[in-house]
Amino acid sequence: MTSPTNITIQEAAYIDPRSGNDKFYRTFAFGSAWATQYGRNGTVGAFTKIIEAASPEAAQQAADAKFLSKIKKGYNPVRSGTVSSPTELTADNLAFLDELAQSLPLGTSSVIVSQPANAVDLGQRKADDLTESVATALNASISDRPAMHTDIYPDLPVRPMLASVQSAEIISTAINDPSWVAQYKYDGDRVVVEITHGEIRVLNRQGEEKSKNVGTAHLLPFSALHAGRWVFDGEIVGRTLVLFDLIAASDAHATWVQEHDAFSRRYCALTEIANVLSIPAVAVAPHDAPVVLAPVATGNAAKDHFLATAISEQREGIILRHEDGPYDLGRRSTFLVKHKLIKDADVIVTSLHGMKQSASLAVHDVNGKLIEIGSASTIGKGAVAVGDVWVVTFLYVTDPQHPRLFQPRLVSRRHDKLTTDCTIDQFTDAGTSKMV
C-alpha cells in the first residue's frame, strides 16, 4: 500500500486589469522534490518538470525561494497549506495538483518573506522629534484618515515601483496630456527609506536591505520622524539622495498617504514633509546638500522644457507619471513611464561568441586603431558576420574618450558604410551626466 504524500502548496496571483494581467503562480513541495505551475487564472496552466533535491528540507527551501521571487515581482500571495494525497506524483499526473490547490480556501496564505532589513544605527546623531510639526503641515494641505494597523505594519514588505517601457506614440501622448507630469530620469542608485517608530531601514530596488552607498548624512533628516511609518522613494546620485516619491505617511494616529493614493497627493505630501525636515528642492539646494527634493514639471510647456534640458545636459531621459496613478509595489507600472534618450552609431563586428550569442563591437580611434567599445546580443538578428558594419543603439557611453556602450542593441546592418567610417568621433556628445 502506498503511503500518503504530504504536499505543501503556495499560490500567488498577479491581477492588473489595466495591463491585462490575470495570472497565478504555484509551488508544490513533496518529499525531496518540488514543481511549479503557472498560467492565467481560471485555467489549469502549465506545470514545470519535477525537480529532485537532496532532501525534503532542500526541496522546500528551493520552492520557497522560487515563490518569494514572484512575490518580489509583484505577485500577491492568496493561499497556502499542506494537503495529503494517496496518489504518488509523477510527470504523468501533475494535473492532479491543480485539484489539490483548488481545495485550499482563499485567504489562507502564510506568505514566506525574507528577513526584514536591519534598522540603521545613527548613534547619537538623531534629530529632534518633528513628527507633530509634520502632521500639522500635512493637515493644512491634505485631508487625513484614521490610521489602521496595516498602515504601520503592512502585510507585505516594500518593493519599489518600476517604470514601464512604452511605445513612442504613448510617450508622445503622455507628454502632451495635462494629466501626466514629468521628472528627470536620474542615473543613480535606487533607494527606499522606511521609518517605523523612529527605526530607519534602507532598501534597494529589489526591496532588500541596502548598505552600500548610503551614509549617515542621507538618513539624518528622517531621524526626526519618531512615530508612525513613513516611506520615501528616491535615488542616490553621486553623494546626493534625490527624493521623487512618497509611498506611505502616517503618524500612527492619522494617515495621509497610502500606496493606492494618486501621485499628485503623494508628491504634495512629500513637499510638505521635505519642508519641515529642511530638505531643499533641487533648484535652491547647495551643491553639498545630502538630500534634495526632485522637481516635477506640470503642463505641456514645462514638460517640453524638461525634455529639452535633459537633451542639452546629456541626462539619461525623463520619467512620466500619471497624476492619478497609484504606487504599484514591485511592479512595472503603466502609470510610470520612462523615456530614455537613445543614441546610435555605426560600429564594426570584430568577433562572435556562440555560447553567449553576442558580438564584440569596435570603432577606429583617432590613430585608426580598432578599439573595442562593448558587445551586443545577436539573438534574432539573422546573419551577423565579422567585418560587418551595423547600426547600434545605446543609452550613453561612460567616457567619450574611451567609450563603452551602455545598453547596446544591434539594429540593422549597413551596406552603405565602410569600416573606415566607424570612428570614435561619433561619441563626442554621447556621454552621460550624473548631475542632480
Side-chain angles (χ1 to χ4, degrees):
M1 180 176 179
T2 304
S3 59
T5 302
N6 289 328
I7 307 170
T8 301
I9 304 171
Q10 300 177 93
E11 179 181 341
Y14 185 10
I15 302 173
D16 186 353
R18 300 185 306 270
S19 56
N21 286 318
D22 187 16
K23 303 180 289 187
F24 73 88
Y25 193 89
R26 295 175 182 147
T27 61
F28 306 87
F30 42 93
S32 297
W34 64 286
T36 64
Q37 178 193 13
Y38 60 92
R40 291 186 62 85
N41 283 304
T43 71
V44 176
F47 289 88
T48 62
K49 65 180 181 180
I50 297 176
I51 301 173
E52 296 291 339
S55 64
E57 292 76 19
Q60 188 64 64
Q61 289 175 2
D64 290 349
K66 177 61 76 172
F67 188 72
L68 179 57
S69 72
K70 292 297 179 181
I71 298 301
K72 290 180 178 179
K73 291 181 178 179
Y75 280 74
N76 292 313
V78 293
R79 55 185 160 192
S80 65
T82 300
V83 297
S84 180
S85 169
T87 303
E88 182 180 358
L89 289 170
T90 67
D92 298 324
N93 67 353
L94 285 180
F96 180 59
L97 291 173
D98 185 72
E99 298 179 27
L100 296 179
Q102 295 288 348
S103 70
L104 293 172
L106 290 170
T108 58
S109 175
S110 55
V111 60
I112 300 169
V113 298
S114 57
Q115 292 296 319
N118 292 318
V120 179
D121 184 9
L122 296 180
Q124 299 300 315
R125 297 189 64 187
K126 189 170 184 179
D128 294 336
D129 190 2
L130 294 177
T131 308
E132 186 174 344
S133 298
V134 168
T136 300
L138 289 173
N139 283 331
S141 299
I142 57 178
S143 59
D144 65 348
R145 301 179 284 257
M148 307 293 287
H149 179 78
T150 52
D151 292 339
I152 311 301
Y153 305 103
D155 295 329
L156 292 174
V158 175
R159 301 182 305 279
M161 177 171 65
L162 304 177
S164 61
V165 178
Q166 301 294 337
S167 67
E169 181 180 0
I170 291 177
I171 294 292
S172 178
T173 299
I175 290 177
N176 293 293
D177 187 336
S179 62
W180 288 79
V181 302
Q183 292 178 314
Y184 289 121
K185 188 177 189 306
Y186 295 99
D187 184 17
D189 198 2
R190 189 69 174 274
V191 61
V192 170
V193 181
E194 181 177 25
I195 308 99
T196 305
H197 293 316
E199 288 194 338
I200 301 175
R201 291 177 170 82
V202 186
L203 311 173
N204 62 17
R205 64 184 290 114
Q206 285 78 38
E208 299 169 339
E209 182 175 355
K210 179 176 178 59
S211 57
K212 295 181 179 179
N213 204 26
V214 180
T216 301
H218 295 132
L219 305 180
L220 190 58
F222 306 109
S223 68
L225 299 169
H226 291 199
R229 179 172 177 264
W230 315 80
V231 187
F232 300 83
D233 193 1
E235 199 149 337
I236 295 178
V237 184
R239 294 180 176 273
T240 304
L241 170 56
V242 184
L243 300 178
F244 45 66
D245 205 348
L246 183 69
I247 306 173
S250 177
D251 68 354
H253 300 291
T255 294
W256 294 272
V257 168
Q258 296 168 307
E259 63 204 46
H260 57 71
D261 285 323
F263 174 72
S264 56
R265 180 186 181 96
R266 302 199 309 270
Y267 189 78
C268 176
L270 177 60
T271 302
E272 295 293 344
I273 296 171
N275 184 53
V276 175
L277 301 185
S278 298
I279 297 173
V282 167
V284 298
H287 75 279
D288 58 349
V291 188
V292 297
L293 175 65
V296 167
T298 59
N300 292 358
K303 286 184 284 184
D304 287 341
H305 177 70
F306 255 47
L307 181 55
T309 302
I311 294 172
S312 65
E313 294 180 346
Q314 294 185 302
R315 291 177 178 267
E316 192 173 320
I318 62 173
I319 290 288
L320 295 161
R321 297 179 182 268
H322 197 287
E323 285 191 328
D324 297 330
Y327 194 98
D328 289 330
L329 288 174
R331 298 180 182 178
R332 290 202 176 275
S333 175
T334 55
F335 290 115
L336 179 64
V337 177
K338 54 186 174 183
H339 176 41
K340 293 183 177 181
L341 300 176
I342 304 298
K343 303 172 179 65
D344 64 74
D346 299 323
V347 301
I348 307 163
V349 175
T350 54
S351 63
L352 298 172
H353 311 285
M355 291 292 291
K356 295 182 179 180
Q357 293 184 279
S358 64
S360 293
L361 310 174
V363 294
H364 292 285
D365 66 12
V366 293
N367 298 314
K369 179 183 177 182
L370 275 179
I371 56 171
E372 186 175 335
I373 58 173
S375 62
S377 172
T378 58
I379 298 174
K381 302 304 177 182
V384 179
V386 173
D388 285 349
V389 174
W390 278 71
V391 176
V392 62
T393 59
F394 59 98
L395 198 54
Y396 58 78
V397 295
T398 51
D399 179 359
Q401 301 300 317
H402 305 88
R404 296 293 297 182
L405 302 180
F406 188 77
Q407 295 184 8
R409 185 174 71 87
L410 291 173
V411 178
S412 60
R413 184 182 174 188
R414 296 210 65 164
H415 298 276
D416 60 332
K417 287 273 187 171
L418 301 175
T419 57
T420 52
D421 295 325
C422 303
T423 57
I424 194 173
D425 58 5
Q426 297 177 93
F427 306 110
T428 301
D429 297 318
T432 183
S433 172
K434 298 285 186 179
M435 67 188 304
V436 173

